[in-house]
Each structure stands twice: as C-alpha cells, then as structure tokens.
Amino acid sequence: MNQSQPLLSVEQVCKSFGNRQVSKNIEFFLQKGEIGCLLGPSGCGKTTLLRVIAGFESIQSGAVRIDGRIVSSSTTSEPPERRAIGMVFQDYALFPHLCVSENVGFGLGKLPKSERQKRVGDLLCLVGLEEVANNYPHEISGGQQQRVALARALAPQPELLLLDEPFSNLDALLRERLTVEVRDILKELGTTALLVTHNQHEAFSVADKIGVLFDGTMQQWDDAHSIYHNPASLEVAKFVGEGSLISGKVEAPGKINTALGLLEGNFSTPCLDGCSVDLLIRPEDILHVEDESMKARVLKKSFRGPNIVYLLQLPSGERCQALVSSHHNHRIGEEIGILPEVDNLIVFPKDCQP
Ligand code: ATP
C-alpha cells in the first residue's frame, strides 16, 4: 500500500435523516495503524458516522474510502460484510450458547480447522483469556466479555476496527485499565481503529487522533495534545478538559492584559493589538504560592486525592480554577496567593477592531 494513502478517508460526508442533517461535511483521515476517536456530547452524530463507515447507513453526498476504494458515496454503498471491517459494540453482543473460544472463532468458518484453532489460541493469549477459553459468556466478568468481543472482532484480521462505546458498561477503574490494554493490543497488531466515546479521558488515553463533533460538525481533528492545548473553537475548549474563560485585551503581540495581570506567551490565534479576547485558563495554569501578593478567594473545592481543584474568585469578580497539591487544604471563603503561569495563551477574539 502507498504509505501516504490513508487507510480510512471520510471526505465531505453529509448524512440526513429526513430533513435533519446529522453529519455536515465531515472530513477526516486515518493512516494505517492509527487509532482515531470520535468524541462529543450525546446526539452530536458520533454513532451515525460509525454506522456510515460500517455500511449500515447510506449518505447523501461525499465519500468514504477504505484503503483507497470507495465504499460509500451518494451513488454507491458497499454492503457491510464486504468492507473488511470488524465491530465491537457497547453490549458486546456475544453468543450466549457458544463458549469463549467458539465466540472468538465464529467468523473463521472458512479457515481450515488447524489454522482456525491457532488464530483463536493466539488471540486468546493476546487478550489474556486462555484460562477461560471453555467458559460461557455468563461465566466470565464484564471486562473479560469485552475482551472476548474484541478478540472476536479482530479474528478475521479486519482492515479497520470500529468500536462503539466499548467500555461504557464497565466500572471506572476497569474501564481505565482496559482502555490502555486495548490500545496496546491494537498497536501490537497494527490494527487501524476508530472508536466512539463521550468520555474524554478514554479518548485521550486510547487515540492518536481525536475528532470533536458538535451538532453534526467536526470542529477539530487533531492529536490529544493539540485538542487540549490548542482547541479550534470555543465549544471544543469548553467541552475538553477543565477551564474558565476570562476577558483580556491584547496589548502587543504575545501580551494580554487581564485580571491576572499582564500575561505573555504564544497566542493560539493571531490577534490585533487592542483586540478584546476571551482567554482560556486551565486549572494547571494557576499556581498557588502562599506569599504571592495576588490573591483570590476560594469559592469551591473539589478533592481529587493528590490534588484539589479550587474554584477561585479574582478581585475583578471573574473566576478561574487552580490545580493545587492536596497538602494545601484551604477553606471555602479563604483568600489564597496565586501566580499565573500561562505560556500558551488560548485566545478567542471577541472584537478585533483596535
Ligand atoms: P450518543 O452519544 O447519545 O449515542 P451520538 O453522538 O452517537 O449520541 P447519534 O446516535 O449519531 O448521536 O445521533 C445523532 C442524531 O441523529 C440524534 O439526534 C438522533 O436522534 C438522530 N438519529 C440517529 N439515528 C436516527 C435514525 N435512524 N432516524 C432518525 N434520526 C436518527
């Protein structure tokens, strides 16, 4: 395969149900071996897009290509079984009357028996389920069921694996562990995958590329670092991570006057001098330094074990958060010293007339 040709191309895809447009000119690309994640609030169109790629939904315009060949357009729709796609669903959809190894081998009927057994054995080993190979789905835990579903989807060696909220039925701890495990497994096999979630921590820990969707529009397709530190829109900034917006005025290139003082750094978007902006302050941008002269009042606190996230009120009345070691346990209403350390100035211009 040509190295620069994406394994999955979604090109200007539009999808409507009746007169309701659910996917609006969606475009993104996944290279072979990359893991992508569609992230966004409920109803933004994540599952619809996954179903379009899988071939369960037709599209009105645009195209979907897998390994260069068009599988969906306004005039063509290759059936799901011809797309060389594997799917893992939210409810795992395991066959209850088949044991673990039979579930994993289900789609391998065409292979000679010895080859089938080897493939199933290798996959069970990869996902760490050799010891429950003869158990039935009801005899294993939710996390194990999820791994069976993954192994079953991987068994026919699909070109592309689609996962729809694969961890949502699991408790938080298991979910976190499995997310990392699944990433390791996919990377070991070099499988290209696209996952749907509304959980940003999951997206951050599993994906090479994240697509943030709002109301059927792809607002940003980027790596996790850029999505967090350089959000393309106010909506992405508010949806991903924690933070508060404070207002500021651009004094000079790279300098903004705010209630936190004159902040200097790299602008996320070029702004004219004199421009009014909203500036995104992440909790880790505000350090707590006991004897700093700049003070803020504690309005709320959220204990996170090693850290506390304080919601603070600045003398201007504006609010921001501060991520502070939980050794510094302050009361609500207390005034604490703060030091802004904002290198990356994430600005959203409000009025660019100087
Ligand atoms: P969630 O996170 O809640 O699963 P989502 O981002 O996956 O949401 P979709 O399931 O893709 O969102 O739905 C997007 C919009 O399309 C919703 O408003 C939904 O009601 C609508 N929709 C989805 N499937 C159909 C359908 N078959 N017919 C009509 N409308 C549909």
Side-chain angles (χ1 to χ4, degrees):
M1 191 189 85
N2 177 353
Q3 264 316 93
S4 60
Q5 175 176 278
L7 190 285
L8 171 68
S9 308
V10 175
E11 300 163 8
Q12 295 296 323
V13 163
C14 292
K15 166 74 192 166
S16 301
F17 292 110
N19 52 14
R20 170 128 201 262
Q21 216 182 344
V22 180
S23 305
K24 303 173 188 169
N25 296 310
I26 301 285
E27 181 148 308
F28 66 91
F29 304 92
L30 266 183
Q31 297 298 329
K32 190 167 170 50
E34 269 189 325
I35 303 175
C37 184
L38 300 174
L39 178 69
S42 186
C44 67
K46 305 179 293 293
T47 299
T48 300
L49 210 45
L50 210 66
R51 290 175 55 79
V52 161
I53 296 165
F56 297 125
E57 302 285 355
S58 60
I59 56 176
Q60 275 75 33
S61 61
V64 177
R65 289 173 201 266
I66 296 177
D67 209 1
R69 70 180 195 281
I70 292 191
V71 292
S72 290
S73 70
S74 58
T75 51
T76 15
S77 186
E78 198 174 79
E81 64 278 9
R82 299 241 309 270
R83 294 191 178 205
I85 279 177
M87 286 206 73
V88 179
F89 300 96
Q90 191 171 344
D91 61 1
Y92 321 133
L94 299 181
F95 303 114
H97 59 290
L98 299 182
C99 71
V100 166
S101 59
E102 288 164 342
N103 261 285
V104 174
F106 184 79
L108 303 179
K110 285 189 190 141
L111 289 185
K113 194 172 172 203
S114 60
E115 212 174 307
R116 190 165 69 227
Q117 280 173 339
K118 177 164 184 343
R119 176 95 54 93
V120 170
D122 288 350
L123 278 164
L124 289 179
C125 177
L126 184 72
V127 300
L129 290 176
E130 306 104 302
E131 283 175 14
V132 293
N134 297 319
N135 289 35
Y136 287 86
H138 71 273
E139 295 172 328
I140 58 176
S141 70
Q144 289 172 321
Q145 289 179 31
Q146 200 277 346
R147 277 181 270 166
V148 177
L150 178 67
R152 187 181 61 184
L154 289 169
Q157 301 177 323
E159 286 186 273
L160 176 67
L161 185 69
L162 303 176
L163 305 103
D164 192 1
E165 302 259 9
F167 310 110
S168 60
N169 287 336
L170 306 170
D171 67 62
L173 259 181
L174 186 58
R175 188 176 180 137
E176 212 176 305
R177 207 187 73 214
L178 270 180
T179 311
V180 177
E181 274 183 30
V182 166
R183 180 181 162 88
D184 289 348
I185 291 167
L186 295 177
K187 287 292 170 191
E188 192 169 329
L189 294 174
T191 305
T192 314
L194 184 66
L195 173 140
V196 157
T197 183
H198 54 254
N199 181 321
Q200 51 183 282
H201 301 294
E202 213 164 278
F204 283 169
S205 49
V206 81
D208 300 306
K209 290 280 171 53
I210 297 173
V212 187
L213 286 164
F214 281 96
D215 192 24
T217 306
M218 179 73 83
Q219 302 260 326
Q220 191 165 4
W221 175 258
D222 228 327
D223 60 69
H225 190 273
S226 304
I227 298 265
Y228 187 79
H229 288 293
N230 208 352
S233 69
L234 207 49
E235 279 162 315
V236 175
K238 287 180 181 168
F239 185 73
V240 176
E242 291 176 289
S244 334
L245 293 170
I246 62 169
S247 55
K249 199 160 187 100
V250 177
E251 291 290 310
K255 293 186 183 175
I256 301 182
N257 213 349
T258 71
L260 290 165
L262 186 69
L263 302 177
E264 294 186 40
N266 298 316
F267 282 180
S268 58
T269 309
C271 297
L272 295 175
D273 292 356
C275 176
S276 297
V277 296
D278 279 323
L279 175 69
L280 178 70
I281 304 290
R282 297 284 192 200
E284 63 274 22
D285 293 335
I286 305 295
L287 308 184
H288 164 45
V289 180
E290 214 73 75
D291 49 9
E292 267 300 318
S293 58
M294 190 184 297
K295 302 286 181 200
R297 185 181 301 279
V298 175
L299 292 178
K300 277 187 191 168
K301 55 196 277 194
S302 163
F303 183 74
R304 309 265 169 97
N307 304 303
I308 297 176
V309 175
Y310 288 104
L311 176 66
L312 303 172
Q313 184 159 42
L314 303 172
S316 66
E318 289 177 300
R319 294 172 177 198
C320 65
Q321 290 157 297
L323 180 71
V324 177
S325 154
S326 59
H327 295 303
H328 296 266
N329 190 15
H330 294 284
R331 295 184 315 278
I332 307 264
E334 208 178 319
E335 297 246 302
I336 63 170
I338 57 164
L339 177 66
E341 209 178 61
V342 198
D343 299 331
N344 202 18
L345 299 169
I346 304 171
V347 288
F348 299 98
K350 287 195 285 197
D351 145 30
C352 258
Q353 296 307 312

